[in-house]
């Protein structure tokens, strides 16, 4: 009976550790990554909307929205970096950050050309920077997939610990 209790406590500790890691680390990182993907897509859409806008008041409104969105992205990148524990995830986040900065530089050129009324030039810059955006989007998708797979692996390990405990308990009882 004592052995049954010890096995139960050990297995429950393993299960608790895995589920805690899922809820406190993997899922929040996945959520932060998905929010970044959404915010970056919104930023790109607003940049293109700026190019299509003719009046300066409308451009000003969009520029204010872009500033807020840019701050949300910076905060999201910082949040992801603070949550990263493995060197692999840290490297992924560094790559996303670097790629985003590259895209942001191009985006600033798009906005400048648009603000100066050089709409064709703004569109050309935007089109040429689309590969920079695609790279960042792909990197974020890779990070999200990594986080999702990590959470699934932890859930599988937790399930395995439960099944092992069940088997051991039945063996001890019988």
């Amino acid at each position: 009976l004592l052995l049954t209790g010890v096995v139960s406590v050990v297995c429950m500790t393993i299960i608790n550790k895995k589920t805690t890691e899922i809820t406190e680390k993997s899922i929040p990182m996945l959520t932060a990554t998905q929010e970044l993907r959404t915010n970056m897509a919104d930023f790109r859409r607003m940049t293109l909307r700026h190019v299509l806008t003719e009046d300066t008041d409308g451009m000003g409104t969009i520029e204010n929205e872009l500033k807020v969105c840019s701050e949300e992205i910076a905060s999201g990148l910082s949040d992801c970096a603070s949550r990263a524990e493995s060197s692999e995830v840290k490297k992924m986040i560094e790559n996303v950050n670097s790629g985003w900065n590259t895209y942001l530089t191009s985006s600033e050129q798009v906005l400048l050309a648009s603000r100066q009324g050089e709409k064709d030039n703004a569109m050309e810059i935007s089109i040429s920077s689309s590969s920079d955006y695609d790279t960042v989007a792909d990197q974020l998708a890779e990070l999200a997939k990594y986080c999702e797979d990590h959470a699934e692996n932890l859930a599988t390990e937790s399930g395995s610990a439960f099944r092992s405990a069940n088997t051991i308990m039945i063996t001890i009882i019988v």
Side-chain angles (χ1 to χ4, degrees), residues 6 11 14 19 24 39 46 94 108 118-119 142 153 155:
V6 170
C11 289
I14 292 169
T19 56
E24 292 181 0
N39 288 337
M46 285 185 261
E94 287 173 14
E108 289 168 0
E118 300 171 6
K119 300 296 184 173
E142 180 183 343
N153 289 341

Side-chain angles (χ1 to χ4, degrees), residues 72-148:
E72 289 173 355
I73 292 168
S75 175
L77 287 168
S78 178
D79 181 37
C80 283
S82 70
R83 292 179 185 279
E85 292 185 355
S86 73
S87 59
E88 185 176 5
V89 171
K90 288 178 184 179
K91 182 66 176 166
M92 286 180 184
I93 293 169
E94 287 173 14
N95 289 340
V96 168
N97 204 3
S98 174
W100 176 250
N101 288 333
T102 300
Y103 174 75
L104 201 52
T105 299
S106 298
S107 179
E108 289 168 0
Q109 293 172 352
V110 169
L111 295 172
L112 180 63
S114 176
R115 176 56 88 174
Q116 294 173 345
E118 300 171 6
K119 300 296 184 173
D120 290 338
N121 186 31
M123 283 305 285
E124 287 177 23
I125 297 168
S126 180
I127 290 168
S128 69
S129 69
S130 65
S131 64
D132 295 332
Y133 176 82
D134 292 342
T135 297
V136 172
D138 290 346
Q139 290 168 334
L140 277 171
E142 180 183 343
L143 179 58
K145 179 72 173 138
Y146 178 91
C147 293
E148 186 178 319

